[in-house]
Amino acid sequence: MSVLIWHRPACSNARGALALIRAAGIEPAIVDYVAHPPSVDALRAAIAAAGLGVREAIRDKEPDYAARGLDDPAVPDDALLAAMVAAPILINRPFVFTPKGVRLCRPPERVLDLL
């Protein structure tokens, strides 16, 4: 099975999802999405495929969120997506992609439906 994870090693949820994938005997393709951020189109597609809204996929606890004024509910999705690509630390994690679908795996056990 082909599995891809947008991973951040410092994130306990990302580490947990990665451990569960590996425990299932799968070595996923790992993308450090902070070093290699997705395009706006790829991010938009991942969020939609996961069945989320853009605000559900943004890390609102990051200092950059408020500093950029993204906490204003009037900020449109396109501006949120552009901010997430410009400052990928704002992308919630981990996103996991398999032939069974895409999920934001918070908590990490959400990855199990994809394996």
Side-chain angles (χ1 to χ4, degrees):
M1 171 182 280
S2 173
V3 177
L4 171 72
I5 183 171
W6 286 355
H7 185 63
R8 176 136 172 91
C11 174
S12 62
N13 284 305
R15 289 191 314 268
L18 181 57
L20 289 168
I21 294 166
R22 287 178 168 159
I26 300 166
E27 185 54 39
I30 300 170
V31 173
D32 177 341
Y33 71 91
V34 172
H36 306 285
S39 67
V40 169
D41 288 340
L43 181 58
R44 184 189 320 272
I47 292 169
L52 300 172
V54 174
R55 287 211 177 262
E56 293 172 287
I58 196 165
R59 290 187 53 82
D60 59 7
K61 293 181 177 125
E62 289 294 330
D64 227 16
Y65 179 76
R68 290 173 176 261
L70 303 175
D71 52 345
D72 179 347
V75 175
D77 286 353
D78 285 343
L80 294 173
L81 289 163
M84 293 163 79
V85 170
I89 194 74
L90 291 170
I91 300 171
N92 221 337
R93 69 250 180 189
F95 272 86
V96 177
F97 306 77
T98 78
K100 292 184 178 183
V102 178
R103 296 278 182 284
L104 173 60
C105 294
R106 297 180 70 86
E109 293 77 20
R110 292 202 66 211
V111 76
L112 297 174
D113 335 344
L114 296 176
L115 304 178

